[in-house]
Amino acid sequence: MNKGDTGKLGELETARYLRKKGYNIVAANFHSRFGEIDIIAENKKYLVFVEVKTRSPGQMFNPSDSVTVSKRKKIISTSNVFLSQNPTALQPRFDIAEVIIEDETVKSINLIENAFDITAY
């Protein structure tokens, strides 16, 4: 399985996971000139912008460690584009999904809710 396929599997499984948790998937792979947001989902309270990071087990760093300050700024800028096109009364939130895949099978999904705050950037 190549890196692109691994990432897509992680995104698909994260969307399935979110649906099971009661979220509605609003968009996937939303692009703007600033970047991309993997998944945009909503529940009764939040509009959630989810960055999915998929890795194999035994890595030296957590998958979420690869969401750098630069990447966070791109996600925030892209979320602003989405919100300007899709106004909502829901509270925006930024999550990171850490997906561990071994032998083409998802072993775990760790959803880090409110992983970063827009006011910090």
Side-chain angles (χ1 to χ4, degrees):
M1 180 175 272
N2 68 39
K3 186 177 176 182
D5 292 340
T6 300
K8 285 292 174 202
L9 178 59
E11 290 174 13
L12 288 170
E13 291 300 320
T14 298
R16 183 175 289 133
Y17 173 86
L18 290 168
R19 281 189 206 97
K20 286 181 184 178
K21 295 284 187 183
Y23 289 85
N24 177 47
I25 305 302
V26 176
N29 305 115
F30 178 82
H31 290 268
S32 80
R33 66 186 179 100
F34 302 107
E36 177 192 28
I37 296 174
D38 295 325
I39 299 171
I40 302 171
E42 66 183 4
N43 63 15
K44 293 177 182 176
K45 189 174 180 182
Y46 295 102
L47 181 67
V48 184
F49 300 94
V50 183
E51 176 67 12
V52 179
K53 291 297 177 187
T54 306
R55 301 287 186 270
S56 57
Q59 298 288 321
M60 194 145 67
F61 300 101
N62 290 325
S64 61
D65 293 339
S66 65
V67 185
T68 62
V69 169
S70 173
K71 179 66 174 172
R72 291 173 188 216
K73 288 179 179 178
K74 290 177 183 179
I75 292 168
I76 290 166
S77 295
T78 302
S79 72
N80 285 331
V81 171
F82 181 86
L83 290 169
S84 71
Q85 296 171 359
N86 304 277
T88 181
L90 297 174
Q91 174 69 41
R93 189 178 79 199
F94 298 92
D95 293 0
I96 299 173
E98 297 179 318
V99 182
I100 304 301
I101 293 182
E102 186 174 15
D103 299 324
E104 300 184 20
T105 303
V106 173
K107 296 297 181 184
S108 67
I109 296 175
N110 176 34
L111 183 66
I112 304 168
E113 294 182 359
N114 206 27
F116 56 96
D117 187 344
I118 194 168
T119 60
Y121 299 96

